[in-house]
Amino acid sequence: MQDGGTPEPHDDPPRPGARRGRPRSEGVEQAVFDAVVGLLDEGVPLAELSIERIARTAGVGKATIYRRWAGKEELFVDLLRSVEPPDPVLPGTSARADLVALLEALRERGLAKRSSALLHNVFAQMQAYPKLWDAYHHTVIEPRRRLGLDAVRRGMEQGELRDDLDVEFVNDLLTGPLLLRTVIRPGATLEPGLAERVVDAVLEGLRPRT
């Protein structure tokens, strides 16, 4: 069976050297994640990581994986989410507090990407793997972006920010410096306090006009 087809009812036998026995139910997800990480560490490209190969390495059957993930793109996205910092919980006390929390989360993700060989490896390959990038963008990046847009919109509604500007434009002004330092200039500093400095500098020009 090829990836993306209907899962077969029978489990594949584990390859020689694979983990013996079937992980208990609560350990299956971690066993599969460990298998993917191990294969990546061995230098296997993302494009060659089939569900069948992952299943053999983890010591589970393909059906076991397909019961948890629709395909390998969904599996990879869940793996990335498991090693990234969690999404921020916004204080809700002010537009500034919410925006600082959002930008601090961006800063922490930038640091995580630099310190994690797995994140660095996967992100380096994702650009050449459109299906995975689209899945990651849809399930991870876009929801985080909506958090920022909602925070800006609330700030405008509450009179903390100018309401004569486009919401997406304002959000880009705020996130741009962090994205520049994490994507375009990956060697740039991501020092503590950067989120506060960016938010305060941008908000200085976004105060409601009297």
Side-chain angles (χ1 to χ4, degrees), residues 92-179:
T93 54
S94 67
R96 180 186 182 278
D98 287 349
L99 294 170
V100 167
L102 286 166
L103 265 61
E104 178 61 18
L106 277 178
R107 188 185 77 88
E108 291 175 358
R109 286 192 179 89
L111 291 172
K113 182 180 174 185
R114 292 178 184 181
S115 62
S116 168
L118 170 66
L119 286 175
H120 182 78
N121 184 354
V122 173
F123 276 101
Q125 296 186 58
M126 276 205 309
Q127 304 300 322
Y129 194 6
K131 286 184 69 177
L132 176 55
W133 177 250
D134 287 347
Y136 183 78
H137 189 277
H138 177 72
T139 61
V140 179
I141 295 179
E142 191 57 31
R144 291 172 183 168
R145 180 172 170 273
R146 286 197 295 270
L147 278 177
L149 294 173
D150 289 344
V152 170
R153 197 173 287 112
R154 285 195 302 272
M156 291 180 173
E157 293 171 353
Q158 295 168 5
E160 298 177 72
L161 304 174
R162 287 172 51 184
D163 60 3
D164 61 330
L165 296 174
D166 179 72
V167 172
E168 293 199 15
F169 173 70
V170 173
N171 188 58
D172 289 346
L173 286 177
L174 289 158
T175 58
L178 273 297
L179 294 176

Side-chain angles (χ1 to χ4, degrees), residues 178-199:
L178 273 297
L179 294 176
L180 175 71
R181 294 193 181 201
T182 56
V183 179
I184 300 176
R185 294 176 54 210
T189 58
L190 290 170
E191 69 277 5
L194 178 62
E196 289 89 343
R197 291 199 293 117
V198 171
V199 170

Side-chain angles (χ1 to χ4, degrees), residues 33-114:
F33 285 169
D34 289 346
V36 175
V37 172
L39 290 167
L40 289 170
D41 285 343
E42 292 173 10
V44 180
L46 281 174
E48 296 179 16
L49 282 181
S50 66
I51 292 294
E52 182 175 7
R53 188 169 189 177
I54 294 168
R56 286 201 307 268
T57 304
V60 303
K62 289 184 290 185
T64 299
I65 293 180
Y66 279 116
R67 280 195 294 269
R68 289 164 174 78
W69 297 282
K72 64 182 185 179
E73 289 81 17
E74 184 179 315
L75 165 57
F76 293 159
V77 169
D78 271 0
L79 172 59
L80 287 174
R81 290 186 71 100
S82 75
V83 296
E84 285 190 355
D87 289 341
V89 176
L90 304 187
T93 54
S94 67
R96 180 186 182 278
D98 287 349
L99 294 170
V100 167
L102 286 166
L103 265 61
E104 178 61 18
L106 277 178
R107 188 185 77 88
E108 291 175 358
R109 286 192 179 89
L111 291 172
K113 182 180 174 185
R114 292 178 184 181

